[in-house]
Amino acid sequence: MKAAVIGLGVEGKKAVNSLLKYGWEVYATDLNINVDLDGLDLPMLDMNWIDDNQTISIVGENITVDLGFTNSYAIDECDAIAISPSMFGGSFASKLLENGELLCDVVSGHRDVFTIGITGTNGKTTTVHMIKGILESAGKKVLVGGNGGGGFSGYYDLILKANDGDYDVLLVEVCDMTLDFAGYCFDFDMVGLTNIGNDHMDVHKTIANYKNSLVRFFKDKTIFTAFNQDFNSDFRESASQCISYFPYQDDLKLVGKFNLLNAGLATAISRELKISKDIIRSSLGDFDAVEGRLDVYRINDAEVYVGKTDNSDALASVLSENDFYALFIGTPRHHEEHRLDILDVAVKYNPEVIVLFPGLDDTLDLAIYRLNSLGYMGNIITVNTLDQIIELVAEYSHENAILIGGNGQEVIIEIQERIKEISEKL
């Protein structure tokens, strides 16, 4: 079998890797000759590079990659096509739908599995893992995946795995930027909404547009929304059934009121699936924070909060939980200046110190300019290495609380591992 992968963003690269893993021959293409190929499992040996400075072709065993152009003949030879979710709704994608050539139509076994989707701005990954733990404790065989940006292996990997195995439940994390795409690819029996926040506004433009995308996504589905969620009346009109959930009332290891809501959503979905209260309570009581998500460690006198908080609503939720002496903030990519609005929230809470470190990119200069323009009067420090961050954590460890967050999940995971190691030794 041969597949074409159109677009080599996060999902595209994960699609290539998954298809190769499952024995497919792959033709991949991206019109951007400078696309970042990091994370793409290219066979580097016995490979031919053809470079005319305007286009590049990489030819290896079972894979051809064209950058700067697309070979339409190579696409026509393919049995299935995987497109970037951002292309869904365009003329090219619409043509593929008519011809039944999308990978999710060619490999369609995943649509026979009971499927739960979790979407929203913040808390998706934590909620997905909570539900997974509960269902597995109840003896269900669960396949988890979805949103490549959330740390999973991507939607296409999930489709291929589901087609290759025997599962009771398919649990999908759905990024809010891919609602229409996911709504077509998967047959959702239930959908949970964690929250609606201020993120990806470069795509949505307005909260109203985001809401309208959710309304389309929820159409004729059983959905779960927070009891106080904005736009619930719109969602009820679109959905076949709308079930409200409330903050979890029993003990959790996780910190934060937002995690009580995540657990409340996991509980509501599990109860609808007839999982016993005892199993739910036991599973959630033992639940530990997902790697890279917010966790708290004790170092000397300080509670050190570490976790990805890459949008203003996520950061505000954490800052409302404690009085933080210092905030360590990872910076966004150069083309994502809208994410710098987390600094607006940081300044509002007026910590003594804001430490900036490269998260997704070294945009320290942009962050410093933003803080100065906001009139922040505290101490601004920039660091570039993990050792420098640890030195400052040690210096501030006799204060009440420290937060390390912002952008850059991989960097934050590395910091989290070091902080945990230090905390366990003390």
Side-chain angles (χ1 to χ4, degrees), residues 208-219:
N209 288 340
Y210 180 12
K211 180 264 293 184
N212 291 336
S213 295
L214 286 167
V215 167
R216 291 195 303 272
F217 184 59
F218 291 158
K219 186 171 177 57

Side-chain angles (χ1 to χ4, degrees), residues 63 176 254 269 271 310:
I63 184 169
D176 58 271
L254 307 188
I269 290 175
R271 291 295 294 155
D310 58 359

Side-chain angles (χ1 to χ4, degrees), residues 11 85 145-148 153-160 172-176 178-179 181-182 186:
E11 286 289 343
N147 172 27
S153 294
Y155 296 115
Y156 292 114
D157 187 75
L158 190 62
I159 289 168
L160 294 167
V172 189
E173 177 176 320
V174 181
C175 174
D176 58 271
T178 63
L179 292 168
F181 171 82
F186 297 92

Side-chain angles (χ1 to χ4, degrees), residues 215-396:
V215 167
R216 291 195 303 272
F217 184 59
F218 291 158
K219 186 171 177 57
D220 298 330
K221 297 181 177 69
T222 295
I223 67 169
F224 298 77
T225 64
F227 70 101
N228 58 351
Q229 177 62 61
D230 291 339
F231 311 117
N232 264 342
S233 59
D234 297 278
F235 299 152
R236 289 191 184 96
E237 287 183 10
S238 179
S240 61
Q241 182 181 17
C242 183
I243 299 172
S244 296
Y245 64 88
F246 299 82
Y248 188 63
Q249 297 298 312
D250 288 310
D251 293 335
L252 280 181
K253 292 181 181 179
L254 307 188
V255 298
K257 295 176 182 177
F258 49 91
N259 275 320
L260 293 176
L261 275 170
N262 293 335
L265 173 54
T267 298
I269 290 175
S270 300
R271 291 295 294 155
E272 191 69 15
L273 295 173
K274 309 303 181 185
I275 308 299
S276 74
K277 291 181 180 179
D278 288 343
I279 290 176
I280 295 170
R281 186 182 300 112
S282 174
S283 181
L284 290 177
D286 292 335
F287 186 83
D288 292 311
V290 178
E291 184 182 53
R293 270 50 181 183
L294 190 70
D295 210 346
V296 182
Y297 310 90
R298 170 68 65 172
I299 296 183
N300 294 326
D301 301 320
E303 289 185 317
V304 183
Y305 291 58
V306 189
K308 181 170 73 77
T309 49
D310 58 359
N311 63 75
S312 57
D313 287 317
L315 184 60
S317 294
V318 179
L319 294 183
S320 66
E321 297 289 336
N322 210 326
D323 181 17
F324 292 92
Y325 177 83
L327 305 183
F328 292 66
I329 304 292
T331 55
R333 296 183 181 90
H334 283 90
H335 65 279
E336 293 181 331
E337 288 189 39
H338 59 282
R339 287 190 179 271
L340 288 171
D341 65 0
I342 61 175
L343 296 176
D344 299 37
V345 174
V347 169
K348 178 182 176 182
Y349 282 84
N350 197 31
E352 293 291 327
V353 183
I354 295 180
V355 181
L356 302 170
F357 63 90
L360 293 169
D361 271 339
D362 185 348
T363 49
L364 299 177
D365 54 341
L366 295 176
I368 293 170
Y369 180 82
R370 181 71 163 244
L371 288 174
N372 288 331
S373 68
L374 291 167
Y376 174 64
M377 302 301 292
N379 190 15
I380 302 173
I381 299 174
T382 61
V383 295
N384 287 281
T385 69
L386 177 56
D387 286 341
Q388 290 174 318
I389 290 173
I390 298 303
E391 287 175 7
L392 288 175
V393 169
E395 180 180 339
Y396 305 143

Side-chain angles (χ1 to χ4, degrees), residues 62-77:
N62 294 326
I63 184 169
T64 298
V65 179
D66 287 338
L67 302 180
F69 74 105
T70 295
N71 183 337
S72 58
Y73 177 74
I75 294 176
D76 290 339
E77 286 187 321

